[in-house]
Amino acid sequence: MGILKFKSHLSKLPSLLFRNNNLHTSKTFLKFNLLSANYCSGNPLQLQVWKMYEVRHTFKKIKPINVHLSNASQTLKLHPTWLRDHCRCPDCYNAVTYQRKNDILKLNEHSTISAHSQSDGLLHVLWSDGHKSIYSIPWLISNTYEGRCRTQEEEANRLITWDGSMGNLPSLEPILYHNAMHDDNTLSEIYRRVIQYGFVQIEQVPSTEIDTKMIIERVCRMSRTVFGKFWETGTNFDHMDTGYLNGYLEAHTDNTYFTEAQGFLVFHCTHFNGKGGESFLVDGFHVAKQLKQLDPIAYDYLSKANITAEYIEPGEHFSSGGAILRHDPVSHQLEQIRFNMLDRAPLTSVPQSEVGTFYRHLRTLAMLVRQKENEYWFRLSPGTVMVIDNWRLLHGRNSYEGKRVLRGCYYSRSDFMSKARHYGIIL
Ligand SMILES: [Fe+2]
Ligand SMILES: [Zn+2]
């Protein structure tokens, strides 16, 4: 009924709407109204349509004026609507809550620049409605699409990827528990190392549950998952996961079956009495670089093909899909490797006509992951807490005999990155 009503009012719209030479815009607009009609069946439809016409018309009228920002090295063109939307004056932005106050539907009426000037690193804009905005030019540059892409590229270039020898990593002062607990610079250094190298070790941590929890919480809040908040393997078999058993564990990332895999893993082996059980890490971003060089078609395929993983235990069935190599949608930088061959669900995301290609590319990646040269072997021992980037590093372990108590937790990506951003490690 709503759609019929909508159609009956359509003829009353001004002919200007239908003279629009941009057919695509016009179609999108009509589609949007059709949706509005369905969702707002209780409202007077004519009003809805006219309101949308007004908004669309207002957008059409505005001519973009480019503002050229110059400093020694760069020039940037800014659109007036973007500028007005990014005004940080008290009328437009709440500096206490860090939230915008402006109204998106009124934005374009206010986006005509009457005058602008630059001085002392500031851009002054006088708007046609008399509103005045002052912007810091470095802030403007770093908060545009162009600036953001450049920053993300710089951040990606700062990552130091490594092979199993870790030969290219600088020799670093050990991070000690006492300093990490009491000194913010040490804390900041923990975030820096995790971001740059994919892991950090914190030494001289007392091997008790309480001290392990204290250092864990000092770095970041623990995340609660199906495995609980603070977990312990080696003493219980609460969960139906290979990690809780004592066999060999091949290199993998965790949580490929979550819609968002936990960002970071924390391990503290608080007790070991037996044989074997050595751990190893593989830098997934290093492997990805190798794949890109060796077989760019495989790299491209595994960046797009969807692979579903699952985790099942009594009362639970997690399932989630995604590319093995996930990239940032804006900067296209590699953001995550999702590699867990054990947790793969039935392959329903690839047509049978394509499975040959899929397995060929997956094998190429798996072969690189298995290269002995890419594995960094070490022993997790009481006193050393390790934080690992689960979106970048793969972890594995030798089989063992005897008693091995491994405690730890996950940090969500959002929580840890928030800390790293707060400390200025990332933007
Ligand atoms: Fe694991
Ligand atoms: Zn303002």
Side-chain angles (χ1 to χ4, degrees):
M1 279 306 285
I3 292 173
L4 285 175
K5 224 170 153 191
F6 166 76
K7 279 182 179 164
S8 71
H9 288 297
L10 211 59
S11 57
K12 293 176 189 167
L13 281 172
S15 56
L16 177 66
L17 174 63
F18 299 100
R19 270 193 269 119
N20 183 0
N21 51 15
N22 184 343
L23 197 63
H24 175 73
T25 311
S26 180
K27 266 185 184 166
T28 312
F29 167 65
L30 290 176
K31 215 193 271 168
F32 187 87
N33 274 296
L34 216 57
L35 284 172
S36 304
N38 283 322
Y39 284 108
C40 309
S41 53
N43 292 342
L45 201 57
Q46 192 172 14
L47 188 67
Q48 288 281 326
V49 173
W50 276 92
K51 224 176 179 177
M52 284 312 299
Y53 161 72
E54 209 184 323
V55 171
R56 184 198 149 278
H57 187 57
T58 313
F59 267 84
K60 182 84 179 164
K61 270 199 320 196
I62 286 174
K63 280 188 184 165
I65 302 167
N66 292 323
V67 176
H68 298 265
L69 293 177
S70 305
N71 65 15
S73 61
Q74 53 198 322
T75 300
L76 191 65
K77 293 177 180 181
L78 298 173
H79 192 284
T81 308
W82 184 96
L83 263 179
R84 184 63 188 246
D85 190 33
H86 290 78
C87 179
R88 289 311 200 224
C89 85
D91 289 339
C92 300
Y93 190 75
N94 186 329
V96 178
T97 63
Y98 300 97
Q99 288 173 303
R100 290 169 202 261
K101 288 166 80 176
N102 54 7
D103 180 350
I104 189 70
L105 293 183
K106 291 186 178 158
L107 194 58
N108 267 23
E109 296 165 27
H110 301 147
S111 299
T112 311
I113 292 175
S114 294
H116 63 90
S117 63
Q118 289 179 48
S119 63
D120 302 327
L122 298 173
L123 171 70
H124 300 260
V125 176
L126 175 64
W127 301 92
S128 59
D129 62 352
H131 193 80
K132 287 178 185 167
S133 305
I134 302 173
Y135 308 87
S136 143
I137 291 176
W139 185 91
L140 287 175
I141 293 172
S142 60
N143 283 284
T144 54
Y145 165 85
E146 291 78 3
R148 182 73 193 149
C149 286
R150 198 165 39 241
T151 307
Q152 285 191 316
E153 197 183 328
E154 282 165 10
E155 281 179 358
N157 290 340
R158 273 203 296 274
L159 300 185
I160 300 181
T161 54
W162 40 264
D163 63 18
S165 71
M166 288 200 177
N168 59 334
L169 294 192
S171 59
L172 298 161
E173 286 282 304
I175 289 186
L176 305 180
Y177 170 74
H178 180 82
N179 297 340
M181 287 303 296
H182 299 103
D183 173 26
D184 277 3
N185 290 331
T186 308
L187 199 57
S188 169
E189 177 64 6
I190 288 173
Y191 303 126
R192 189 192 69 76
R193 290 191 194 181
V194 174
I195 298 295
Q196 205 167 8
Y197 314 126
F199 72 97
V200 73
Q201 286 172 306
I202 305 165
E203 320 269 358
Q204 296 181 2
V205 182
S207 301
T208 64
E209 185 177 326
I210 185 90
D211 286 293
T212 307
K213 278 185 179 166
M214 277 187 28
I215 186 64
I216 281 175
E217 299 253 67
R218 166 80 172 145
V219 174
C220 187
R221 72 188 67 87
M222 288 189 263
S223 181
R224 184 182 290 281
T225 68
V226 64
F227 304 106
K229 217 170 162 188
F230 181 77
W231 39 254
E232 193 171 290
T233 65
T235 56
N236 69 65
F237 299 95
D238 289 348
H239 300 281
M240 314 289 281
D241 190 85
T242 324
Y244 281 73
L245 309 175
N246 63 353
Y248 168 78
L249 276 180
E250 67 173 31
H252 65 279
T253 61
D254 280 4
N255 309 152
T256 45
Y257 38 77
F258 288 165
T259 45
E260 183 180 305
Q262 295 291 307
F264 300 86
L265 270 159
V266 187
F267 287 133
H268 188 193
C269 179
T270 51
H271 178 92
F272 183 66
N273 185 8
K275 272 195 227 163
E278 301 85 355
S279 300
F280 68 100
L281 296 173
V282 173
D283 187 345
F285 281 17
H286 173 71
V287 170
K289 271 187 196 169
Q290 289 180 315
L291 180 69
K292 203 172 195 174
Q293 230 169 15
L294 180 79
D295 191 343
I297 294 170
Y299 184 95
D300 194 51
Y301 186 88
L302 296 174
S303 301
K304 289 175 186 145
N306 199 283
I307 181 163
T308 306
E310 65 183 356
Y311 173 76
I312 303 169
E313 67 168 51
E316 304 284 356
H317 187 159
F318 291 91
S319 174
S320 186
I324 291 178
L325 301 171
R326 278 191 57 238
H327 293 77
D328 180 282
V330 177
S331 67
H332 307 297
Q333 299 291 334
L334 180 61
E335 190 173 45
Q336 182 187 10
I337 178 164
R338 296 171 67 249
F339 188 93
N340 193 319
M341 295 302 100
L342 303 185
D343 290 341
R344 285 179 301 123
L347 186 63
T348 52
S349 52
V350 176
Q352 287 299 316
S353 57
E354 219 184 89
V355 292
T357 310
F358 173 81
Y359 284 111
R360 191 171 71 247
H361 294 324
L362 186 59
R363 268 200 306 270
T364 309
L365 176 61
M367 189 192 74
L368 290 171
V369 167
R370 293 262 182 98
Q371 293 279 304
K372 285 288 159 212
E373 297 75 31
N374 283 335
E375 295 174 347
Y376 168 67
W377 282 89
F378 61 103
R379 181 175 283 286
L380 281 170
S381 49
T384 302
V385 165
M386 199 153 188
V387 182
I388 294 167
D389 185 341
N390 184 49
W391 282 28
R392 170 177 162 185
L393 302 193
L394 292 74
H395 59 279
R397 182 202 65 203
N398 247 341
S399 59
Y400 67 91
E401 287 168 21
K403 191 175 176 195
R404 182 179 190 260
V405 179
L406 190 67
R407 291 178 162 133
C409 73
Y410 289 118
Y411 295 139
S412 84
R413 194 79 186 167
S414 297
D415 286 344
F416 189 91
M417 294 311 240
S418 163
K419 296 285 180 195
R421 201 170 287 113
H422 171 76
Y423 278 87
I425 309 299
I426 54 167
L427 280 176

